[in-house]
Amino acid sequence: LSELEALMERMKRLQEDKEDEEASQEEMATRFEKEKKESLLVISGGIYAFPVQFSFDDEIVSTDVSRYIEDPGFGYKDFARRGEDHLPTFRAQDYTWENHGFSLVNRLYSDIGHLLDEKFRMVYNLTYNTMATHEDVDTTTLRRALFNYVHCMYGIRYDDYDYGEVNQLLERSLKVYIKTVTCYPERTTKRMYDSYWRQFKHSEKVHVNLLLMEARMQAELLYALRAITRHLT
């Protein structure tokens, strides 16, 4: 099977499995912890920190971004150290954008919550119902996996989501691309962009980038707004 056909087959199988039997809460928690720990081993630029038969064999283009920032030392850091047994988890059910963050940010800055919410929803729901040359395809499962994987990298867990879907739908090269774009965008190369979903249209791959950026922004807002809420109370 081609990369595209294999992905569509996995999406179909996941839907059938979900209809037949749902994973228990304990199983979903275990799958999240596994995915969260593995995300710490993903190194931007094309390799994993553990041995796998995979590499982009691509040099990272050194981009000088210092002219755009005031603090050259500012940058992304993993939310936990590698090798730690108990990694911190942000349970989304305890502090969600819809139920908590939205109202607080609106209170702090009038109407900004509505604008942000509209932006998040528009990007998340954007679809032509296509996958490359295939039409009338429901891509909800794939879009949710992309969005939730970014939040997983930031330690955010949704109790009602089975993270086994992430491992089924997002191949290793795509996970490396996701972490690079989300955490170290200046290291992204065209070759990395070309190396995943080769049969997809550019518009579909650009939508992936939009999803990643909005997921990251929402994750950052959740941490910041939760801290503000705790301070106010």
Side-chain angles (χ1 to χ4, degrees):
L1 291 177
S2 68
E3 182 184 34
L4 173 62
E5 299 296 336
L7 177 57
M8 293 189 66
E9 181 63 29
R10 288 196 296 272
M11 290 172 61
K12 180 181 178 182
R13 189 163 58 246
L14 281 172
Q15 187 60 41
E16 292 173 348
D17 292 344
K18 188 180 297 185
E19 293 173 356
D20 292 340
E21 183 179 357
E22 291 188 4
S24 66
Q25 283 294 320
E26 183 179 354
E27 288 174 322
M28 290 198 290
T30 300
R31 291 170 186 175
F32 169 78
E33 291 298 326
K34 179 182 178 182
E35 202 64 50
K36 183 173 65 173
K37 289 180 180 179
E38 285 190 2
S39 74
L40 296 176
L41 300 174
V42 178
I43 299 177
S44 67
I47 59 174
Y48 269 60
F50 52 84
V52 294
Q53 297 300 314
F54 166 77
S55 174
F56 276 117
D57 294 327
D58 193 16
E59 294 184 2
I60 301 302
V61 177
S62 178
T63 305
D64 183 13
V65 297
S66 60
R67 72 188 76 175
Y68 306 113
I69 56 178
E70 295 179 358
D71 180 6
F74 180 81
Y76 169 83
K77 290 185 179 180
D78 284 321
F79 67 92
R81 296 177 182 175
R82 293 176 193 151
E84 288 185 359
D85 293 329
H86 302 288
L87 304 180
T89 295
F90 183 137
R91 293 182 71 253
Q93 278 69 13
D94 295 336
Y95 198 93
T96 65
W97 165 254
E98 293 81 5
N99 298 330
H100 305 91
F102 172 80
S103 58
L104 175 60
V105 78
N106 253 354
R107 194 174 72 180
L108 297 174
Y109 190 159
S110 180
D111 292 332
I112 193 66
H114 293 288
L115 296 173
L116 288 170
D117 191 61
E118 182 181 358
K119 187 161 68 86
F120 292 147
R121 291 178 185 275
M122 181 180 67
V123 171
Y124 187 85
N125 295 322
L126 181 64
T127 180
Y128 299 124
N129 294 314
T130 63
M131 285 181 65
T133 57
H134 295 266
E135 298 182 351
D136 298 321
V137 181
D138 184 359
T139 60
T140 303
T141 304
L142 188 55
R143 283 180 278 128
R144 184 169 58 237
L146 289 164
F147 197 92
N148 285 359
Y149 181 64
V150 174
H151 280 204
C152 179
M153 289 195 307
Y154 281 82
I156 300 174
R157 181 196 169 204
Y158 295 88
D159 291 345
D160 59 350
Y161 181 70
D162 183 358
Y163 288 85
E165 294 185 10
V166 168
N167 215 32
Q168 288 286 319
L169 299 176
L170 309 184
E171 69 272 15
R172 286 170 174 168
S173 60
L174 180 52
K175 286 182 177 179
V176 171
Y177 179 79
I178 290 172
K179 184 158 189 177
T180 305
V181 169
T182 306
C183 305
Y184 311 97
E186 73 280 1
R187 301 181 186 178
T188 309
T189 65
K190 184 177 184 300
R191 186 170 182 179
M192 291 172 62
Y193 171 85
D194 292 335
S195 294
Y196 82 95
W197 288 0
R198 296 175 180 85
Q199 297 168 300
F200 281 65
K201 302 173 185 175
H202 287 299
S203 61
E204 293 170 318
K205 298 177 78 168
V206 167
H207 183 206
V208 170
N209 285 2
L210 294 175
L211 269 172
L212 302 184
M213 292 295 97
E214 294 305 323
R216 169 185 166 164
M217 184 177 188
Q218 190 177 110
E220 292 170 336
L221 278 172
L222 285 173
Y223 274 103
L225 294 172
R226 185 181 67 167
I228 293 172
T229 299
R230 288 176 174 175
H231 174 73
L232 293 175
T233 55

